[in-house]
Amino acid sequence: SISEETIEPFKLNLDPGSSKIKYILSGDGAGTIFVINDKTGDIHAMKRLDREEKAEYTLTAQAVDRDTNKPLEPPSEFIIKVQDINDNAPEFVDGPYHATVPEMSVVGTFVTKVTATDADDPVYGNSAKLVYSILEGQPYFSIEPHTAIIKTALPNMDREAKEEYFVVIQAKDMGGHMGGLSGTTTVTITLTDVNDNPPKFAQSKCHYPLDFETKKSYTLKVEAANIHIDPRFISGGPFKDTATVKIVVEDADEPPVFSSPTYLLEVHENAAINSVIGQVTAHDPDVSSSPIRFSIDRHTDLERQFNINAEDGKITLATPLDRETNMWHNITIVATETSKYLSVFRLGGTILSKVGNSVLTIRKYSRSVCSVIQIVSAVDKDDPKNGHYFLYSLLPEMVNNPNFTIKKNEDNTLSILAKHNGFSRQKQEVYLLPIIISDSGNPPMSSTSTLTIRVCGCSSDGIVQSCNVEAYVLPIGLSMGALIAILACIILLLVIVVLFVTLRRHKNEPLIIKDDEDVRENIIRYDDEGGGEEDTEAFDIATLQNPDGINGFLPRKDIKPDLQFMPRQGLAPVPNGVDVDEFINVRLHEADNDPTAPPYDSIQIYGYEGRGSAAGSLSSLESSASDSDQNFDYLSEWGPRFKRLGELYSVGENNLYANTTSI
């Protein structure tokens, strides 16, 4: 035997033989579920086994010659039995359950029986041994742990107090011990009624006043008995009760009473004035029988169309009646005892039509278009005996209306149907639908009414939200897509304007970085007269006096280059005798072709003036001698560009204006 979850190899007791022995396996699941090692005879289970699917397997093993496949011994048949494990929970196949039990039952009364099943092996271990218990429903009911029979556990359960109980039953395997699997079901138990309550009068004596003029008093004895008595409760009897009712009629002065509870008068609309159209009568129910006088409550007849004779109650016509103006008239007649009491009666009258009327109208004159169109009905002021029957139709030119159609209903109404969806208020807001209505009179009369259909804004479920005029007016011919495109263009234009203004602001800002270590801070623009050679406070000429310190690469501080370039090798000092013009042009060319150079003038530091120059320094800012002590005639020998400079120094002007530029 092998356990359900076993996948480890196991070995048969076969003769080991020699290396020429080959083991083969056949039978149930050979090669798929079970495989054998042809050298050692070990048999492996290739997947987990489920006893509930197959409980045992019959296999055959045989040893054969590895080279010739000839049997070395007879085949051996063996059976692999799958041992059960607790891997299936109990189930109530027939649940949920419903049961009934009589109310007031004694403890232990049978209610019902439930059954749970477990797919595990019932004969191996406790995997299928079930124990039942109640999770909900105590203390009213109990259950037998092994038979699952539900019984009452509480006496005198009264249906009038509580009729239905909800009970939860649990079935647990492994004999109910810890680690077992469980399943639940519900049982709805209803208490049935038994005759356990005798009849009772709400009152033992009753006193009711009746008509004094007819009989002054009544005496009654009433008994109520229960003819269906449950023998179990016979001791609680008797199941009957009696009551004495004495009715005393008291005299009272009562108001007049009309002879008929209702009056309905029918009058032709062409009846003559002062003609009698009906009569009401009333009497005094008291023994005194006082005289009665009649009158009309003029609050119900403001136009005074009717009169009544105060003595005999005859009603006459005071003004002509028009059925098409008002078909019904409701007036109130007052009957008054000559002593003090009065009685009020409402009289209803209808006017009969003498001549057929051709005016038919539709009750609903407008409707909002959403998903469903309103059902309308017609009104005919005539009143035929067999009732109204209307015929509806569209005008001949509207029969092929592309938007709406009509449908006659069985209740004499008319349904207006939309032929399509997607009505747009921008395209058309109001539709007019003329409808012909004909009656069934002889001769038939007809009229045409126009139904106004208004297109309104609706929600997704067809509820009207707004029928007002749109807050915006769409231009004719412009679709929603065109409006979106126009709006997008406007937004794009605004973005371009904002970018342009931003760029202008950045352009106006100075591009030179203000840095305390930048030598260009020595560039000072001013238009006042300089201090001459004595003014050396505002200039740092250390760089010009130390040309050897700039042979290395100096980073640019006025811009931040996007591309990083290898620093250029510092130029060696230019030997004496080189043309300054050529030297400057070379450096200008280098600056023009420098990709990190800004597009504006910047200070370029040159190391031309160095040691061994015959001309010496051109600057007089730190010269201890005055202009008169120096001879500047040699400047004329440097070319026309320095000739003017020599003339200026040789003139000996006392005041010079300093203009600084950048090369």
Side-chain angles (χ1 to χ4, degrees), residues 318-349:
T319 61
L321 301 178
D322 185 1
R323 185 182 183 279
E324 286 68 42
T325 302
N326 194 354
M327 185 176 65
W328 279 92
H329 293 271
N330 292 307
I331 59 176
T332 300
I333 305 298
V334 180
T336 309
E337 290 183 16
T338 54
S339 57
K340 57 180 178 179
Y341 289 103
L342 60 86
S343 180
V344 179
F345 182 80
R346 184 173 295 277
L347 176 65

Side-chain angles (χ1 to χ4, degrees), residues 188 234 326 583 589 614 631:
T188 302
I234 192 86
N326 194 354
F583 172 76
H589 178 73
N631 185 6

Side-chain angles (χ1 to χ4, degrees), residues 6-133:
T6 299
I7 58 175
E8 297 296 329
F10 59 94
K11 187 175 183 178
L12 295 176
N13 294 323
L14 300 175
D15 294 336
S18 64
S19 60
K20 292 184 178 181
I21 297 176
K22 177 182 178 182
Y23 299 97
I24 59 176
L25 187 67
S26 61
D28 295 339
T32 57
I33 300 176
F34 302 101
V35 295
I36 189 170
N37 189 317
D38 60 354
K39 294 180 180 180
T40 64
D42 292 339
I43 298 177
H44 296 262
M46 303 304 295
K47 66 176 184 179
R48 295 184 183 276
L49 305 179
D50 189 357
R51 190 202 64 84
E52 286 71 37
E53 293 182 2
K54 191 173 180 63
E56 63 181 32
Y57 298 85
T58 301
L59 298 171
T60 301
Q62 188 177 19
V64 299
D65 187 275
R66 184 174 298 276
D67 297 329
T68 63
N69 284 332
K70 292 182 179 181
L72 300 178
E73 61 180 27
S76 299
E77 183 179 270
F78 59 95
I79 298 175
I80 299 178
K81 292 185 177 180
V82 182
Q83 294 180 353
D84 184 41
I85 64 172
N86 188 21
D87 59 345
N88 292 280
E91 294 182 356
F92 290 89
V93 181
D94 300 327
Y97 297 84
H98 295 270
T100 59
V101 64
E103 64 172 333
M104 309 300 292
S105 297
V106 298
V107 175
T109 302
F110 174 85
V111 178
T112 187
K113 179 180 180 179
V114 297
T115 303
T117 59
D118 195 317
D120 292 324
D121 191 354
V123 298
Y124 180 80
N126 295 326
S127 298
K129 186 177 181 180
L130 305 182
V131 173
Y132 299 89
S133 60

Side-chain angles (χ1 to χ4, degrees), residues 271-311:
I273 298 176
N274 295 326
S275 60
V276 178
I277 60 175
Q279 184 179 11
V280 297
T281 58
H283 70 279
D284 183 6
D286 296 324
V287 178
S288 59
S289 185
S290 302
I292 306 299
R293 295 185 61 84
F294 301 95
S295 63
I296 296 177
D297 184 358
R298 292 305 177 180
H299 292 90
T300 62
D301 184 26
L302 296 177
E303 298 181 0
R304 295 183 175 270
Q305 293 180 291
F306 305 94
N307 290 325
I308 189 170
N309 189 305
E311 303 295 335

Side-chain angles (χ1 to χ4, degrees), residues 259-285:
S259 57
S260 176
T262 59
Y263 287 88
L264 179 63
L265 306 179
E266 294 184 351
V267 184
H268 287 281
E269 60 180 339
N270 60 347
I273 298 176
N274 295 326
S275 60
V276 178
I277 60 175
Q279 184 179 11
V280 297
T281 58
H283 70 279
D284 183 6

